């Protein structure tokens, strides 16, 4: 079997990782300039160049030929529309950065691209006018739209919402779906390829005719739930071949058959990244991982008053929690409830409870950056 590759290795040896003789420096310069000018049209020798929105470490640089780009756009459309292409489909696409990838239109489908940097109020005015039938965006944005819809500012009637780029939490999914009266599906993709798409029955299937995923088990099951990290081989990409490329994502798999009839592997949940897994010392002297979901669950159980939060672990024996609570709430009471809930969750697994510092100084992530509610930033 071929060895695995990761982003760091691919970026270090970028010049030898493309089949078209693309050099790292000129490609990076084009991609950076496009980000700065927010004009994503310039090509490099006819190739589309872009940067991935990695949250840590090396930035990922990708190159695609015009054919690969068209195949990608066509495939993603066909797979997300579930084969039912009818006139009058209007797709609103919210993305961190535009690239040539996302400006595609046809006579049946209208695409409108929205920059995530756009002020929300402006986006809502444009959406009310565009009246999308499908809205694609990170769940944090979809939730803001749902709140605007609740308040009456947003007046759209999508038949489907599609979550991309961030972890979709079950409670958020339920809220968005209830507000719009429409299902929330997912597209799981990396700059390394299109990986999985929700079927009509709502299951997130690996697109096995496009990509081959191998799953490596991660240590430390919780509640008997296994966690996996994917190694991907893209069967289509030729310009920048992706072969046994290790992603940093943490997944739960579902091996039950899907109601839609497809036997392509179902991903039950995308929990986050491997570097979002927190570690605590056990009473017995070892260490054990806490996957982001377990800490999210502890927060959910703590208090209904919490509007948003961020948990950051810098060292194994400390945890910092920044809360957003409404001004009318009793902040001291919420803080104590959060402390008790986290302590109980951590102790349940035989771990030493760390120092937990909690404040109400939550700051929302800047526009255009990925939300990470749980993050381990230990050196
Ligand atoms: Zn299915």
């Amino acid at each position: 079997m071929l060895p695995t590759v990761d982003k760091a290795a691919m970026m270090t040896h970028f010049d030898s990782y493309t089949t078209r003789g693309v050099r790292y420096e000129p490609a990076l310069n084009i991609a950076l300039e496009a980000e700065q000018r927010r004009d994503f049209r310039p090509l490099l020798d006819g190739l589309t160049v872009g940067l991935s929105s990695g949250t840590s470490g090396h930035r990922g640089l990708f190159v695609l030929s015009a054919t690969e780009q068209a195949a990608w756009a066509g495939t993603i459309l066909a797979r997300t529309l579930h084969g039912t292409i009818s006139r009058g489909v209007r797709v609103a696409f919210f993305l961190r950065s535009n690239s040539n990838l996302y400006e595609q239109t046809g006579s049946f489908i209208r695409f409108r691209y929205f920059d995530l940097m756009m002020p929300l109020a402006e986006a809502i005015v444009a959406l009310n006018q565009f009246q999308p039938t499908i809205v694609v965006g990170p769940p944090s944005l979809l939730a803001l739209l749902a709140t605007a819809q609740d308040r009456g500012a947003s007046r759209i009637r999508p038949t489907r919402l599609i979550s991309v780029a961030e972890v979709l939490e079950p409670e958020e999914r339920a809220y968005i779906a209830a507000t719009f009266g429409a299902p929330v599906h997912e597209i799981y993709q990396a700059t390394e390829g299109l990986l999985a798409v929700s079927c009509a029955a709502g299951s997130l299937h690996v697109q096995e005719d496009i990509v081959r995923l191998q799953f490596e088990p991660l240590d430390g099951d919780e509640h008997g739930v296994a966690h996996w990290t994917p190694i991907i081989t893209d069967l289509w990409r030729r310009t920048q071949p992706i072969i046994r490329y290790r992603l940093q994502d943490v997944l739960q798999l579902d091996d039950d058959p899907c109601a839609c009839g497809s036997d392509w592997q179902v991903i039950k949940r995308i929990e986050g990244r491997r570097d979002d897994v927190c570690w605590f010392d056990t009473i017995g002297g070892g260490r054990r991982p806490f996957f982001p979901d377990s800490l999210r669950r502890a927060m959910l159980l703590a208090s209904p008053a919490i509007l948003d939060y961020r948990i950051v672990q810098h060292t194994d024996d400390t945890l910092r929690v920044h809360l957003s609570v409404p001004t009318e709430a009793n902040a001291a009471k919420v803080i104590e409830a959060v402390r008790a809930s986290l302590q109980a969750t951590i102790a349940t697994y035989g771990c030493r409870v760390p120092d937990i510092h909690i404040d109400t100084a939550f700051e929302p992530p800047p526009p255009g950056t990925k939300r990470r509610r749980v993050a381990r930033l230990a050196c």
Side-chain angles (χ1 to χ4, degrees), residues 92 107 119 124 130 181 213 218 236 268 278 289 303 327 331 335 348 359 366:
S107 52
I124 288 169
F130 182 58
L213 262 66
L218 293 173
W236 288 15
K268 190 174 180 187
C278 295
S303 164
T327 43
I335 286 174
T348 299
D359 59 45

Side-chain angles (χ1 to χ4, degrees), residues 16 56 85 117 196 219 292 298 311:
S16 58
S56 65
I85 298 184
M117 307 294 278
D219 283 345
I311 299 176

Side-chain angles (χ1 to χ4, degrees), residues 57-222:
H58 297 252
R59 262 183 307 211
L61 191 60
F62 66 90
V63 285
L64 285 178
S65 69
T67 314
E68 287 169 327
Q69 185 179 311
W72 179 89
T75 308
I76 212 163
L77 252 186
R79 304 288 162 101
T80 51
L81 293 176
H82 303 139
T84 55
I85 298 184
S86 59
R87 252 179 221 289
V89 175
R90 292 178 301 280
V91 186
F93 231 120
F94 282 83
L95 292 161
R96 185 188 64 89
S97 69
N98 190 7
S99 94
N100 300 314
L101 296 180
Y102 308 118
E103 293 282 346
Q104 311 269 343
T105 53
S107 52
F108 284 89
I109 295 160
R110 284 177 62 201
F111 255 118
R112 175 116 183 232
Y113 157 75
F114 294 79
D115 194 325
L116 275 174
M117 307 294 278
M118 181 190 253
L120 187 68
E122 245 175 70
I124 288 169
V125 170
L127 281 175
N128 285 339
Q129 201 209 347
F130 182 58
Q131 284 299 322
T133 54
I134 298 176
V135 182
V136 185
S140 53
L141 180 274
L142 299 180
L144 288 175
L145 290 180
T147 307
Q149 187 90 359
D150 267 343
R151 283 201 311 259
S154 165
R155 292 179 302 279
I156 57 174
R157 287 173 299 279
T159 56
R160 206 137 49 90
L161 299 108
I162 299 176
S163 162
V164 292
E166 289 172 354
V167 171
L168 174 64
E169 298 174 18
E171 302 73 29
E172 200 163 53
R173 176 181 217 150
Y175 167 64
I176 297 164
T179 303
F180 289 106
V184 180
H185 288 167
E186 285 180 87
I187 296 174
Y188 175 33
Q189 64 173 335
T191 41
E192 295 78 18
L194 175 63
L195 306 178
V197 177
S198 294
C199 68
S203 304
L204 186 59
H205 287 276
V206 174
Q207 301 297 289
E208 293 187 7
D209 57 341
I210 298 174
V211 71
R212 164 92 179 123
L213 262 66
Q214 293 165 299
F215 298 100
E216 261 187 351
L218 293 173
D219 283 345
D221 290 2
E222 278 167 0

Side-chain angles (χ1 to χ4, degrees), residues 214-365:
Q214 293 165 299
F215 298 100
E216 261 187 351
L218 293 173
D219 283 345
D221 290 2
E222 278 167 0
H223 318 281
V225 175
H227 294 83
W228 306 84
T229 195
I231 295 170
I232 65 177
T233 297
D234 192 303
L235 307 174
W236 288 15
R237 296 265 293 268
R238 295 288 179 270
T239 309
Q240 184 180 15
I242 304 292
I243 300 165
R244 297 253 301 148
Y245 184 101
R246 188 192 304 272
L247 287 184
Q248 291 300 313
D249 295 346
V250 177
L251 310 176
Q252 288 179 31
L253 302 177
D254 189 345
D255 291 324
D256 291 337
C258 179
C260 79
S262 167
D263 60 359
W264 287 351
Q265 176 71 52
V266 171
I267 296 173
K268 190 174 180 187
R269 303 208 43 194
I270 303 164
E271 279 208 36
R273 301 166 48 83
R274 280 177 78 166
D275 49 12
D276 293 343
V277 177
C278 295
W279 290 81
F280 299 111
D281 296 330
T282 61
I283 307 282
R287 295 166 87 222
R288 123 185 263 307
F290 277 69
F291 292 95
D293 246 14
S294 55
L295 298 179
R296 284 189 206 118
R297 229 175 2 243
M299 295 301 290
L300 188 73
L301 294 173
S303 164
I306 300 166
L307 297 174
D308 209 339
Y309 64 88
R310 180 161 159 84
I311 299 176
V312 186
Q313 186 180 36
H314 289 278
T315 62
D316 282 8
D317 52 6
T318 59
L319 206 56
R320 288 188 186 279
V321 183
H322 308 296
L323 297 174
S324 165
V325 291
T327 43
E328 67 272 18
N330 181 338
K333 215 172 139 187
V334 175
I335 286 174
E336 279 329 298
V338 167
R339 189 184 308 282
S341 184
L342 287 170
Q343 284 173 340
T345 298
I346 294 165
T348 299
Y349 292 101
C351 287
R352 240 178 263 286
V353 174
D355 288 334
I356 304 177
H357 305 274
I358 308 173
D359 59 45
T360 53
F362 173 84
E363 293 207 8

